[in-house]
Amino acid sequence: MTFIGLGVGTITRQTRNPEMYSWNLSVQRDIGWSSMVEINYTGSRGVHLYSPYTSLSPLDPVYWLGPNAPYTRAQLQAAVPNPFYNIITDPKAVNLNGKTIQQYRLLRNMPQYDGVSGSDPNAADSNYHGLQLKYEKRLSRGLTVLTHYTWSRMIDDASVTDGNLTWLGGTTSFQNPLDLSMERSLSQHDVAHRFVATGDWQLPFGRERRFGSGVSRQIDAVIGGWEVSAFFTLQSGFPLQVTQSGGTLWNGTQRPNLIGDPATPGTIHDRLNSYFNPNAFSRPAPDTFGSAPRTLDIRGPMVNILDVALIKSWRLKQGQRVEFRMEAQNARNHPVFSDPPTSYGASNFGVINGTKVGPRNVQLGFKYYF
C-alpha cells in the first residue's frame, strides 16, 4: 500500500553494466624528410547500453496502435467506474481516488499507481567503423605538421545513454520506445568525415635561424623570433532527427511519414530558408507510427574553422624572454550555421536562423618568462 495512488519511481533490479568491444589495425610508414604516414582501421561495438526510456507502466500499443485498435483515443480517455474507489483515499491521488477513472489507466501495468518509472534499461546497442589516415612531419627546420582524416559510420538505436551523460551530445527521441529495432538508424553522434590539420612554423629569420644568423641584436629584435601556428577543422554535420509537430502517440514521439527526398539543392547560403524539402514529408494519422527513420541521412551544416596564432619572442638575458601573441579564433570569420529546427509542421521547419560558432575573435597578449 506504500504510495498507492501516487506516482512512484525505483531503481530497476534487472540491470547490468554496459559493455564496449573495440578492435583496430594500423600500418605506419616512414617516408623520409622527417615524415610518417599511417593508415588505421578501427571498429567498436557497444552492447547493453542504457536506453533513456524509464516508464514501467506504458500503455501497450495493442490497445491503441493503428486504425484497427480495439479502443479509440476517446474511449481510452473516457471515464469508467473506478475499482479503487474507497481503497485509494489519499487526497493527493487526484487521478485515482474518485468514483470514476479514465479507461487507459486501468490498462497499464500496476494501475494502482499514477505512473511508475524505473532506471534506464540496458536495451540499446551501437556499432562503429572508421578509416583513419594520418600524416605527420616531425619538427625539422622549424616546421612541424600533423594532419588527420577520418571516414566513419556509426549506427545505434539510442544516441544518449544515461540522462546524466547528455552533456556528451546527441539526442534520442523514440517513436516506439518498446521496440528499439524500429529506432535503429545513423547515430546522432555520427560524423562521416572529419579532417584536422595543425602546423607550426618558426620563420627562418634572425639569430639561430637559417637566414640572418649573424645579424645584430637590434636587427634580430625586429626580424627574429617570429612563429606562426594554425589549426584547421573541416567536419561533417550530425544527422538530423525530424519529429512531428503536435504528434499524437500514447508512448514516444511521433515522426512524420517520409514520402520523398528531403534534400534541397544549392549551397548552404541558398538553403538557409529551406534546408529541407517540406513536400518530402506528410503527417501521419493520430496513434500511428510515421515512416521517417529516427535520424535522416541528411546532416546539419558542416564545421569549417581556421584558428591562427602569430607569436614573436625577444630573448633577454639567460633563461628569460618576452613573448607577444596575437591569436585569432575563426580567423576567416567563416559562418558555421546552426542546425535548422526539425519539427515538421512548425512554421520554422528547416529554417536556419543562427550560428553555432561565433564570429572572429582576436586577442593580444604579452608574456614574460623567467
Side-chain angles (χ1 to χ4, degrees):
M1 300 293 287
T2 303
F3 297 125
I4 188 170
L6 306 178
V8 296
T10 183
I11 299 298
T12 309
R13 289 187 178 185
Q14 290 77 14
T15 188
R16 61 184 296 174
N17 288 330
E19 298 173 7
M20 181 65 69
Y21 302 89
S22 62
W23 53 92
N24 66 80
L25 175 66
S26 181
V27 178
Q28 298 178 347
R29 173 76 176 181
D30 193 310
I31 59 175
W33 303 289
S34 301
S35 298
M36 179 269 293
V37 294
E38 176 181 329
I39 183 170
N40 180 54
Y41 160 73
T42 182
S44 66
R45 175 163 173 75
V47 295
H48 310 302
L49 304 180
Y50 291 118
S51 169
Y53 184 77
T54 59
S55 175
L56 298 180
S57 57
L59 184 61
D60 195 312
V62 70
Y63 296 118
W64 56 265
L65 181 61
N68 299 320
Y71 295 94
T72 65
R73 179 166 282 264
Q75 289 172 332
L76 289 170
Q77 293 175 326
V80 297
N82 183 7
F84 302 118
Y85 184 60
N86 287 332
I87 298 175
I88 297 176
T89 57
D90 191 327
K92 295 191 294 295
V94 293
N95 292 317
L96 299 177
N97 63 8
K99 291 183 178 181
T100 61
I101 187 173
Q102 290 175 298
Q103 174 70 71
Y104 81 90
R105 296 181 180 276
L106 298 177
L107 300 175
R108 300 188 304 179
N109 296 331
M110 297 170 279
Q112 70 273 26
Y113 297 112
D114 191 12
V116 184
S117 63
S119 50
D120 295 347
N122 299 97
D125 62 54
S126 69
N127 65 68
Y128 171 88
H129 300 279
L131 177 67
Q132 302 169 342
L133 303 175
K134 174 183 174 182
Y135 168 76
E136 179 179 3
K137 183 187 183 305
R138 295 176 291 275
L139 181 64
S140 63
R141 296 189 176 184
L143 177 65
T144 179
V145 176
L146 177 64
T147 64
H148 196 283
Y149 168 70
T150 300
W151 175 37
S152 64
R153 187 176 181 87
M154 184 175 183
I155 295 175
D156 63 22
D157 42 34
S159 298
V160 169
T161 56
D162 186 88
N164 292 327
L165 301 178
T166 54
W167 56 272
L168 289 173
T171 60
T172 286
S173 180
F174 295 134
Q175 181 172 240
N176 186 3
L178 306 182
D179 183 4
L180 293 190
S181 66
M182 296 181 61
E183 306 301 312
R184 195 162 187 80
S185 67
L186 282 174
S187 172
Q188 280 279 292
H189 300 288
D190 181 65
V191 176
H193 303 279
R194 178 174 168 84
F195 175 77
V196 175
T198 181
D200 187 90
W201 184 30
Q202 298 173 353
L203 272 62
F205 307 108
R207 289 191 171 188
E208 301 180 4
R209 302 287 172 93
R210 186 177 181 183
F211 303 107
S213 59
V215 299
S216 65
R217 293 180 61 88
Q218 292 78 10
I219 295 178
D220 182 66
V222 176
I223 68 170
W226 288 98
E227 183 176 345
V228 178
S229 65
F231 191 96
F232 175 66
T233 302
L234 188 64
Q235 175 181 307
S236 301
F238 293 108
L240 296 175
Q241 181 174 227
V242 174
T243 58
Q244 173 67 54
S245 177
T248 304
L249 287 179
W250 284 95
N251 311 314
T253 301
Q254 192 177 41
R255 297 194 286 263
N257 292 318
L258 183 62
I259 58 175
D261 184 1
T264 52
T267 67
I268 182 65
H269 296 87
D270 298 329
R271 302 164 60 198
L272 293 179
N273 292 319
S274 183
Y275 199 78
F276 298 118
N277 172 18
N279 296 323
F281 303 92
S282 67
R283 187 181 186 91
D287 295 329
T288 61
F289 293 144
S291 62
R294 183 170 57 92
T295 58
L296 301 175
D297 197 11
I298 292 182
R299 301 173 181 274
M302 69 188 316
V303 175
N304 186 341
I305 300 177
L306 175 66
D307 298 333
V308 178
L310 178 64
I311 305 167
K312 173 71 170 84
S313 295
W314 291 273
R315 290 183 179 273
L316 303 178
K317 51 187 177 180
Q318 184 67 30
Q320 300 183 30
R321 64 186 175 92
V322 174
E323 179 183 274
F324 163 75
R325 301 179 65 93
M326 181 174 67
E327 300 173 338
Q329 299 173 339
N330 192 12
R332 297 170 299 153
N333 206 32
H334 188 280
V336 179
F337 294 103
S338 56
D339 292 348
T342 55
S343 180
Y344 174 67
S347 60
N348 61 350
F349 176 68
V351 178
I352 295 177
N353 53 17
T355 58
K356 53 188 172 184
V357 174
R360 180 190 301 117
N361 183 296
V362 179
Q363 61 182 22
L364 309 178
F366 282 92
K367 290 184 178 181
Y368 172 51
Y369 295 87
F370 60 95

